[in-house]
Amino acid sequence: MIKIGMMIGERYEILERIGTGGMSDVYKAKDYKLNRFVAVKVLKQEFSENANFVSKFRVEAQAAAGLMHPNIVNVYDVGEEGGIYYIVMELVEGITLKKYIEKKARLSVKEAVSIAIQVSMGLEAAHNNHIIHRDIKPQNIIISKEGKVKVTDFGIAKAATSNTITSNVMGSVHYTSPEQARGGYSDEKSDIYSLGITMFEMLTGRVPFNGETTVAIAIKHIQEEMPSPRDYVPEIPISVEQIVCKCCQKSPDRRYQSMQELIVDLKQSLINPDEDFVKLVDPDEEASTRMITDRDMAQIKRQSDRRDSMEEAMRLKKNAVRYYEEEEDEDEEDEDEDDWDDEDDDYDPKMERITTILAVVAALLVGGIIIFVAGRAFGVFQIGAETEDSQQADTEEEKEQVEMIRVVGMNVEEAKRSLLDLGLTPEIKYEATNAYDAGTVLRASVQDGLMIDKGTVISMTVAESAEGVKVPSATGKSQEEATTILEKEGFVVNVTEGYDASVQNGYVISQSPEPGTTAPQGSSVTIRVSQGTDENKVRVPNLVGMDEMDATVSLTELGLPVGNVTSVSNDDASLTGKVCYQSYSVGSYVDKGTAIDLSISTGPEAATYKYTEGIAAPTEDPDYHNGMSVNVTLTAADGTQLLSTQSTTFPVAANYTGIKSATGTITFTFQVEKEAVTATDPNTGETVTTPPVSEERTVRRDVNFTQE
């Protein structure tokens, strides 16, 4: 486990954590051998024993280690020590392009083109080393404090040993190329497309395609016409508009064929922005908008099962190896191994073309087999028979949702009846307290107002008096035995079912309230009875307390996609920025592929206060008298000035709401006139007269506001 101050690799001292992601943490460290600061990316401990994660981590290091360029975050070292896998990289202090765009709303044309040139130069160096990034987006571009632009995170990059590589990498769907969205070929021109989308966002402050789901966005990349950035910002020069348009052509053949070509046009646009010099290829049927095919839809849906490109990167190495093994097997049917080695040494364009055609034919054959198998699975090739998948689809369509009602403050029996009427399953937990009447619902596991599936278990925490009956243990017992034990103590037994491979069918998995706690006699105890194991079922993990990325990783490994993610307030301050709600109860079993909705806590809801009392005169000063002109100010403890007025009559009316502080201060300022004073000096007998003076007096009065 990494700790601040520890030394790894006998040269890198960990100084502080500067970033975190789903798989790894990034630390600032001191390289004592070369006396410089570096960034150390460390694979998280929970993934270090997972071969897939370790493999992905190594692929990232190997992909970027050979690149040394001013516009690329350079990799210096990679290693493993005591189960800790790490990559040592150049330390770049700055801001991501995504945050920079958000900060400025949109960039000027000159600034956007300058950044695009630097990104292109970095990618050109990568492409010259046969490395395709495959995940170009503003989040992976850093602008240093010195204004230097650097490309980072080659986590799903792969060295290309031929002109193209087959991969299923989706990348970030807002920036993915059409060929990546279809799961087909991706090459250097895929990076050009993603850079074009990034330029579009720099120039307009928005992405060209958006939607509610990754599938919808991917389909737009394939099918919909690319909007012009001038539709949103008319002052964009024609040359820059055409550069973005050419980068984002649907067909890779109609984009720039290399980063060098793109750089030439970008530099020309800085000199002659309004000149029409960009050569656009006339669109034909292949490049025009086309309807998406069933095969495209199936491929996109398979890709959208993953939350982001991270998990795809974990599988990239295995997919690439399988691809090359298949390609080698096909080639061996026509020529022996020696001929193949000779071909590597002496590049033959004609043979390259033949190899490409063979690969396409093989892909079409495999695609046909996949369509046939998928058709049988979905009943396309079965007449009169309803398949299991279609039945499951019907079941999902029939699943109804209801709006969660407010149960906090209700009597537990009334709350149970209301939840049962909605088709929800109530689960009761008791908490001893004297602040509320026994039987009052204190908390619920689902926030009121949320739409949830019928049958969802709603856990309610109910107030109980200090006196109660100790709940006996029913866990591990048969349903009949557990019911007998609980009813003997005067409890009402509710039964729910669940899957658990470790608990025998018909035996109790868990109970609520838990054994050993006290509950009012006659209250309900819910037992969860095992239905054995189900290979198609997945047990829902506890996600509360995790950040969104860690929760996503946990669900992805179980085959459960993340559903809707919302931000809500939560009274527990320790959950701020973390998951505070999940749509399925911990330990419950759901079908693989079931979407789990999450709520991220924004922290406790801030209390507000009001002040509606009249402000009385400052009689604390004995020299104050009615009719004096007094300056009156009312200031909250957080510095907010609520009132500033001058008055000769009291009380002064005050009516303020929505105050964010519980206390405040009233300040009175007024002038006191002192009359002339005549006195005789006892020593000289001389009479001395002091002239009249005016003194400023200040009176402060602390006040408490009333909570709204």
Short mmCIF file of all heavy atoms in Angstrom, two decimals, residues 528-578:
data_model
loop_
_atom_site.label_atom_id
_atom_site.label_comp_id
_atom_site.label_asym_id
_atom_site.label_seq_id
_atom_site.Cartn_x
_atom_site.Cartn_y
_atom_site.Cartn_z
N ARG A 528 -35.01 -13.22 5.15
CA ARG A 528 -34.70 -13.40 3.74
C ARG A 528 -34.32 -14.84 3.53
O ARG A 528 -33.32 -15.31 4.07
CB ARG A 528 -33.56 -12.47 3.36
CG ARG A 528 -33.43 -12.26 1.88
CD ARG A 528 -32.97 -10.83 1.61
NE ARG A 528 -32.63 -10.72 0.21
CZ ARG A 528 -31.41 -10.84 -0.26
NH1 ARG A 528 -30.41 -11.07 0.55
NH2 ARG A 528 -31.18 -10.73 -1.55
N VAL A 529 -35.12 -15.57 2.74
CA VAL A 529 -34.95 -17.01 2.58
C VAL A 529 -34.25 -17.29 1.25
O VAL A 529 -34.62 -16.75 0.20
CB VAL A 529 -36.31 -17.73 2.64
CG1 VAL A 529 -36.14 -19.23 2.45
CG2 VAL A 529 -37.01 -17.43 3.96
N SER A 530 -33.25 -18.14 1.30
CA SER A 530 -32.44 -18.47 0.12
C SER A 530 -33.23 -19.31 -0.88
O SER A 530 -33.95 -20.23 -0.50
CB SER A 530 -31.17 -19.22 0.54
OG SER A 530 -30.47 -19.67 -0.59
N GLN A 531 -33.06 -18.96 -2.15
CA GLN A 531 -33.61 -19.76 -3.24
C GLN A 531 -32.51 -20.56 -3.95
O GLN A 531 -32.66 -21.00 -5.08
CB GLN A 531 -34.30 -18.84 -4.25
CG GLN A 531 -35.44 -18.03 -3.67
CD GLN A 531 -36.53 -18.92 -3.12
OE1 GLN A 531 -37.15 -19.67 -3.85
NE2 GLN A 531 -36.77 -18.85 -1.82
N GLY A 532 -31.37 -20.70 -3.24
CA GLY A 532 -30.24 -21.42 -3.83
C GLY A 532 -29.43 -20.52 -4.73
O GLY A 532 -29.37 -19.32 -4.54
N THR A 533 -28.83 -21.09 -5.75
CA THR A 533 -27.97 -20.32 -6.66
C THR A 533 -28.64 -20.17 -8.01
O THR A 533 -29.43 -20.99 -8.42
CB THR A 533 -26.60 -21.02 -6.83
OG1 THR A 533 -25.79 -20.21 -7.68
CG2 THR A 533 -26.76 -22.39 -7.47
N ASP A 534 -28.31 -19.08 -8.68
CA ASP A 534 -28.80 -18.84 -10.03
C ASP A 534 -27.64 -18.20 -10.80
O ASP A 534 -27.21 -17.10 -10.49
CB ASP A 534 -30.00 -17.89 -10.02
CG ASP A 534 -30.64 -17.78 -11.40
OD1 ASP A 534 -29.93 -17.99 -12.40
OD2 ASP A 534 -31.84 -17.48 -11.47
N GLU A 535 -27.16 -18.92 -11.82
CA GLU A 535 -25.99 -18.44 -12.55
C GLU A 535 -26.27 -17.14 -13.28
O GLU A 535 -25.36 -16.39 -13.60
CB GLU A 535 -25.53 -19.50 -13.55
CG GLU A 535 -25.01 -20.77 -12.89
CD GLU A 535 -24.57 -21.80 -13.91
OE1 GLU A 535 -24.73 -21.52 -15.12
OE2 GLU A 535 -24.06 -22.86 -13.50
N ASN A 536 -27.54 -16.87 -13.57
CA ASN A 536 -27.87 -15.64 -14.28
C ASN A 536 -28.13 -14.48 -13.33
O ASN A 536 -28.44 -13.38 -13.76
CB ASN A 536 -29.11 -15.85 -15.16
CG ASN A 536 -28.83 -16.81 -16.29
OD1 ASN A 536 -27.77 -16.77 -16.88
ND2 ASN A 536 -29.79 -17.68 -16.58
N LYS A 537 -28.05 -14.75 -12.04
CA LYS A 537 -28.29 -13.71 -11.05
C LYS A 537 -26.96 -13.18 -10.51
O LYS A 537 -25.98 -13.91 -10.41
CB LYS A 537 -29.14 -14.25 -9.88
CG LYS A 537 -30.53 -14.71 -10.29
CD LYS A 537 -31.44 -13.54 -10.65
CE LYS A 537 -32.84 -14.02 -10.99
NZ LYS A 537 -33.74 -12.90 -11.31
N VAL A 538 -26.96 -11.90 -10.15
CA VAL A 538 -25.78 -11.25 -9.60
C VAL A 538 -26.18 -10.61 -8.28
O VAL A 538 -27.23 -9.96 -8.18
CB VAL A 538 -25.23 -10.18 -10.56
CG1 VAL A 538 -24.00 -9.49 -9.95
CG2 VAL A 538 -24.88 -10.79 -11.89
N ARG A 539 -25.34 -10.80 -7.27
CA ARG A 539 -25.62 -10.21 -5.97
C ARG A 539 -25.16 -8.75 -5.96
O ARG A 539 -24.03 -8.44 -6.32
CB ARG A 539 -24.91 -10.99 -4.87
CG ARG A 539 -25.33 -10.57 -3.46
CD ARG A 539 -24.79 -11.53 -2.42
NE ARG A 539 -25.32 -11.22 -1.10
CZ ARG A 539 -25.11 -11.95 -0.02
NH1 ARG A 539 -24.35 -13.04 -0.11
NH2 ARG A 539 -25.62 -11.61 1.14
N VAL A 540 -26.04 -7.85 -5.57
CA VAL A 540 -25.75 -6.42 -5.59
C VAL A 540 -24.78 -6.08 -4.46
O VAL A 540 -25.05 -6.39 -3.30
CB VAL A 540 -27.04 -5.59 -5.45
CG1 VAL A 540 -26.72 -4.10 -5.44
CG2 VAL A 540 -28.00 -5.91 -6.59
N PRO A 541 -23.65 -5.44 -4.78
CA PRO A 541 -22.68 -5.08 -3.74
C PRO A 541 -23.10 -3.81 -3.01
O PRO A 541 -24.02 -3.10 -3.44
CB PRO A 541 -21.40 -4.84 -4.54
CG PRO A 541 -21.89 -4.33 -5.86
CD PRO A 541 -23.18 -5.06 -6.13
N ASN A 542 -22.41 -3.52 -1.91
CA ASN A 542 -22.64 -2.28 -1.17
C ASN A 542 -21.80 -1.18 -1.80
O ASN A 542 -20.58 -1.21 -1.76
CB ASN A 542 -22.27 -2.46 0.30
CG ASN A 542 -22.61 -1.23 1.13
OD1 ASN A 542 -23.26 -0.30 0.64
ND2 ASN A 542 -22.16 -1.20 2.37
N LEU A 543 -22.46 -0.20 -2.40
CA LEU A 543 -21.76 0.88 -3.10
C LEU A 543 -21.75 2.18 -2.29
O LEU A 543 -21.03 3.12 -2.64
CB LEU A 543 -22.44 1.14 -4.45
CG LEU A 543 -22.59 -0.08 -5.36
CD1 LEU A 543 -23.44 0.28 -6.57
CD2 LEU A 543 -21.23 -0.59 -5.81
N VAL A 544 -22.54 2.23 -1.23
CA VAL A 544 -22.64 3.45 -0.43
C VAL A 544 -21.28 3.74 0.21
O VAL A 544 -20.66 2.87 0.82
CB VAL A 544 -23.73 3.33 0.65
CG1 VAL A 544 -23.73 4.55 1.56
CG2 VAL A 544 -25.09 3.15 0.00
N GLY A 545 -20.82 4.97 0.04
CA GLY A 545 -19.53 5.37 0.58
C GLY A 545 -18.42 5.38 -0.46
O GLY A 545 -17.34 5.91 -0.21
N MET A 546 -18.67 4.77 -1.65
CA MET A 546 -17.68 4.79 -2.72
C MET A 546 -17.83 6.07 -3.55
O MET A 546 -18.92 6.67 -3.59
CB MET A 546 -17.86 3.60 -3.67
CG MET A 546 -17.60 2.25 -3.06
SD MET A 546 -17.74 0.98 -4.36
CE MET A 546 -17.41 -0.50 -3.41
N ASP A 547 -16.76 6.51 -4.23
CA ASP A 547 -16.93 7.56 -5.21
C ASP A 547 -17.51 6.94 -6.48
O ASP A 547 -17.56 5.71 -6.62
CB ASP A 547 -15.64 8.33 -5.49
CG ASP A 547 -14.52 7.44 -6.03
OD1 ASP A 547 -14.83 6.48 -6.74
OD2 ASP A 547 -13.35 7.72 -5.73
N GLU A 548 -17.96 7.80 -7.41
CA GLU A 548 -18.69 7.30 -8.58
C GLU A 548 -17.85 6.36 -9.42
O GLU A 548 -18.33 5.34 -9.91
CB GLU A 548 -19.17 8.48 -9.43
CG GLU A 548 -20.00 8.05 -10.64
CD GLU A 548 -20.45 9.21 -11.49
OE1 GLU A 548 -20.26 10.37 -11.08
OE2 GLU A 548 -21.00 8.96 -12.58
N MET A 549 -16.55 6.67 -9.60
CA MET A 549 -15.71 5.84 -10.45
C MET A 549 -15.51 4.46 -9.85
O MET A 549 -15.60 3.44 -10.54
CB MET A 549 -14.35 6.52 -10.66
CG MET A 549 -13.43 5.76 -11.60
SD MET A 549 -14.15 5.50 -13.24
CE MET A 549 -13.99 7.16 -13.91
N ASP A 550 -15.24 4.40 -8.52
CA ASP A 550 -15.04 3.10 -7.88
C ASP A 550 -16.32 2.27 -7.93
O ASP A 550 -16.28 1.05 -8.12
CB ASP A 550 -14.60 3.29 -6.42
CG ASP A 550 -13.16 3.79 -6.33
OD1 ASP A 550 -12.44 3.65 -7.31
OD2 ASP A 550 -12.78 4.32 -5.27
N ALA A 551 -17.47 2.93 -7.73
CA ALA A 551 -18.74 2.21 -7.82
C ALA A 551 -18.96 1.66 -9.23
O ALA A 551 -19.44 0.54 -9.41
CB ALA A 551 -19.89 3.13 -7.42
N THR A 552 -18.57 2.45 -10.24
CA THR A 552 -18.70 2.01 -11.63
C THR A 552 -17.84 0.78 -11.90
O THR A 552 -18.27 -0.17 -12.54
CB THR A 552 -18.29 3.15 -12.58
OG1 THR A 552 -19.16 4.27 -12.35
CG2 THR A 552 -18.41 2.70 -14.03
N VAL A 553 -16.61 0.80 -11.38
CA VAL A 553 -15.71 -0.34 -11.57
C VAL A 553 -16.30 -1.59 -10.92
O VAL A 553 -16.31 -2.68 -11.50
CB VAL A 553 -14.31 -0.04 -11.00
CG1 VAL A 553 -13.44 -1.29 -11.01
CG2 VAL A 553 -13.64 1.06 -11.81
N SER A 554 -16.81 -1.44 -9.68
CA SER A 554 -17.39 -2.58 -8.95
C SER A 554 -18.56 -3.18 -9.71
O SER A 554 -18.67 -4.41 -9.83
CB SER A 554 -17.84 -2.14 -7.55
OG SER A 554 -16.74 -1.70 -6.78
N LEU A 555 -19.43 -2.32 -10.25
CA LEU A 555 -20.59 -2.82 -10.98
C LEU A 555 -20.18 -3.45 -12.32
O LEU A 555 -20.71 -4.48 -12.72
CB LEU A 555 -21.58 -1.68 -11.22
CG LEU A 555 -22.30 -1.15 -9.98
CD1 LEU A 555 -23.15 0.06 -10.33
CD2 LEU A 555 -23.18 -2.23 -9.35
N THR A 556 -19.22 -2.82 -13.00
CA THR A 556 -18.79 -3.33 -14.30
C THR A 556 -18.22 -4.73 -14.20
O THR A 556 -18.48 -5.59 -15.04
CB THR A 556 -17.75 -2.37 -14.91
OG1 THR A 556 -18.34 -1.08 -15.05
CG2 THR A 556 -17.32 -2.87 -16.29
N GLU A 557 -17.44 -4.98 -13.15
CA GLU A 557 -16.86 -6.31 -12.97
C GLU A 557 -17.94 -7.38 -12.76
O GLU A 557 -17.72 -8.55 -13.07
CB GLU A 557 -15.90 -6.30 -11.79
CG GLU A 557 -14.56 -5.66 -12.10
CD GLU A 557 -13.45 -6.23 -11.24
OE1 GLU A 557 -13.57 -6.16 -10.02
OE2 GLU A 557 -12.50 -6.76 -11.81
N LEU A 558 -19.09 -6.98 -12.24
CA LEU A 558 -20.18 -7.92 -12.00
C LEU A 558 -21.13 -8.02 -13.19
O LEU A 558 -22.11 -8.77 -13.14
CB LEU A 558 -20.97 -7.51 -10.75
CG LEU A 558 -20.20 -7.59 -9.41
CD1 LEU A 558 -21.04 -6.97 -8.28
CD2 LEU A 558 -19.84 -9.03 -9.07
N GLY A 559 -20.89 -7.22 -14.24
CA GLY A 559 -21.78 -7.24 -15.40
C GLY A 559 -23.02 -6.41 -15.21
O GLY A 559 -24.04 -6.64 -15.86
N LEU A 560 -22.96 -5.42 -14.32
CA LEU A 560 -24.10 -4.56 -14.05
C LEU A 560 -23.78 -3.14 -14.52
O LEU A 560 -22.84 -2.52 -14.00
CB LEU A 560 -24.44 -4.53 -12.55
CG LEU A 560 -24.77 -5.88 -11.91
CD1 LEU A 560 -24.95 -5.72 -10.41
CD2 LEU A 560 -26.03 -6.48 -12.52
N PRO A 561 -24.49 -2.60 -15.49
CA PRO A 561 -24.22 -1.23 -15.93
C PRO A 561 -24.75 -0.21 -14.94
O PRO A 561 -25.66 -0.50 -14.15
CB PRO A 561 -24.98 -1.14 -17.26
CG PRO A 561 -26.08 -2.13 -17.13
CD PRO A 561 -25.55 -3.25 -16.28
N VAL A 562 -24.18 0.98 -14.97
CA VAL A 562 -24.66 2.08 -14.13
C VAL A 562 -25.83 2.74 -14.85
O VAL A 562 -25.75 3.05 -16.04
CB VAL A 562 -23.54 3.10 -13.87
CG1 VAL A 562 -24.08 4.29 -13.10
CG2 VAL A 562 -22.41 2.45 -13.10
N GLY A 563 -26.93 2.94 -14.12
CA GLY A 563 -28.10 3.59 -14.70
C GLY A 563 -28.02 5.10 -14.55
O GLY A 563 -27.01 5.72 -14.85
N ASN A 564 -29.08 5.70 -14.04
CA ASN A 564 -29.11 7.15 -13.84
C ASN A 564 -28.28 7.53 -12.63
O ASN A 564 -28.38 6.90 -11.58
CB ASN A 564 -30.55 7.63 -13.65
CG ASN A 564 -31.40 7.39 -14.89
OD1 ASN A 564 -30.92 7.54 -16.01
ND2 ASN A 564 -32.66 7.02 -14.70
N VAL A 565 -27.47 8.57 -12.78
CA VAL A 565 -26.67 9.09 -11.67
C VAL A 565 -27.18 10.50 -11.36
O VAL A 565 -27.15 11.38 -12.22
CB VAL A 565 -25.17 9.13 -12.02
CG1 VAL A 565 -24.36 9.70 -10.85
CG2 VAL A 565 -24.66 7.74 -12.38
N THR A 566 -27.69 10.69 -10.14
CA THR A 566 -28.24 11.98 -9.74
C THR A 566 -27.47 12.53 -8.55
O THR A 566 -26.79 11.79 -7.84
CB THR A 566 -29.73 11.85 -9.37
OG1 THR A 566 -29.87 10.86 -8.32
CG2 THR A 566 -30.54 11.40 -10.57
N SER A 567 -27.58 13.83 -8.35
CA SER A 567 -26.96 14.50 -7.21
C SER A 567 -28.05 14.90 -6.22
O SER A 567 -29.03 15.55 -6.62
CB SER A 567 -26.17 15.73 -7.66
OG SER A 567 -25.12 15.37 -8.52
N VAL A 568 -27.90 14.51 -4.97
CA VAL A 568 -28.89 14.81 -3.95
C VAL A 568 -28.18 15.24 -2.67
O VAL A 568 -27.01 14.94 -2.47
CB VAL A 568 -29.80 13.58 -3.64
CG1 VAL A 568 -30.57 13.16 -4.87
CG2 VAL A 568 -28.98 12.42 -3.11
N SER A 569 -28.89 15.95 -1.81
CA SER A 569 -28.33 16.31 -0.52
C SER A 569 -28.50 15.13 0.45
O SER A 569 -29.42 14.32 0.30
CB SER A 569 -29.03 17.55 0.05
OG SER A 569 -30.42 17.30 0.21
N ASN A 570 -27.59 15.05 1.42
CA ASN A 570 -27.63 13.96 2.38
C ASN A 570 -27.13 14.49 3.71
O ASN A 570 -26.14 15.23 3.77
CB ASN A 570 -26.79 12.78 1.91
CG ASN A 570 -26.95 11.55 2.78
OD1 ASN A 570 -26.33 11.42 3.82
ND2 ASN A 570 -27.81 10.64 2.35
N ASP A 571 -27.79 14.08 4.80
CA ASP A 571 -27.44 14.61 6.12
C ASP A 571 -26.08 14.14 6.61
O ASP A 571 -25.48 14.78 7.47
CB ASP A 571 -28.52 14.21 7.14
CG ASP A 571 -29.86 14.88 6.86
OD1 ASP A 571 -29.84 15.94 6.21
OD2 ASP A 571 -30.90 14.34 7.26
N ASP A 572 -25.59 13.02 6.07
CA ASP A 572 -24.30 12.49 6.51
C ASP A 572 -23.19 13.21 5.76
O ASP A 572 -22.95 12.99 4.57
CB ASP A 572 -24.24 10.98 6.22
CG ASP A 572 -23.02 10.32 6.86
OD1 ASP A 572 -22.09 11.05 7.27
OD2 ASP A 572 -22.99 9.08 6.94
N ALA A 573 -22.47 14.08 6.47
CA ALA A 573 -21.41 14.88 5.83
C ALA A 573 -20.28 14.01 5.31
O ALA A 573 -19.60 14.38 4.35
CB ALA A 573 -20.87 15.92 6.81
N SER A 574 -20.06 12.84 5.93
CA SER A 574 -18.96 11.97 5.50
C SER A 574 -19.20 11.37 4.11
O SER A 574 -18.27 10.86 3.48
CB SER A 574 -18.74 10.84 6.50
OG SER A 574 -19.87 9.96 6.52
N LEU A 575 -20.43 11.42 3.60
CA LEU A 575 -20.76 10.87 2.29
C LEU A 575 -20.70 11.92 1.18
O LEU A 575 -21.03 11.61 0.03
CB LEU A 575 -22.14 10.23 2.31
CG LEU A 575 -22.30 8.95 3.15
CD1 LEU A 575 -23.74 8.47 3.12
CD2 LEU A 575 -21.36 7.85 2.65
N THR A 576 -20.30 13.14 1.51
CA THR A 576 -20.24 14.19 0.51
C THR A 576 -19.32 13.79 -0.65
O THR A 576 -18.18 13.41 -0.44
CB THR A 576 -19.74 15.51 1.13
OG1 THR A 576 -20.60 15.87 2.21
CG2 THR A 576 -19.72 16.63 0.09
N GLY A 577 -19.85 13.85 -1.87
CA GLY A 577 -19.08 13.46 -3.05
C GLY A 577 -19.05 11.96 -3.29
O GLY A 577 -18.38 11.51 -4.21
N LYS A 578 -19.78 11.21 -2.49
CA LYS A 578 -19.77 9.75 -2.61
C LYS A 578 -21.20 9.22 -2.82
O LYS A 578 -22.17 9.96 -2.67
CB LYS A 578 -19.15 9.11 -1.36
CG LYS A 578 -17.71 9.54 -1.10
CD LYS A 578 -17.14 8.87 0.13
CE LYS A 578 -15.73 9.37 0.44
NZ LYS A 578 -14.79 9.06 -0.64
#
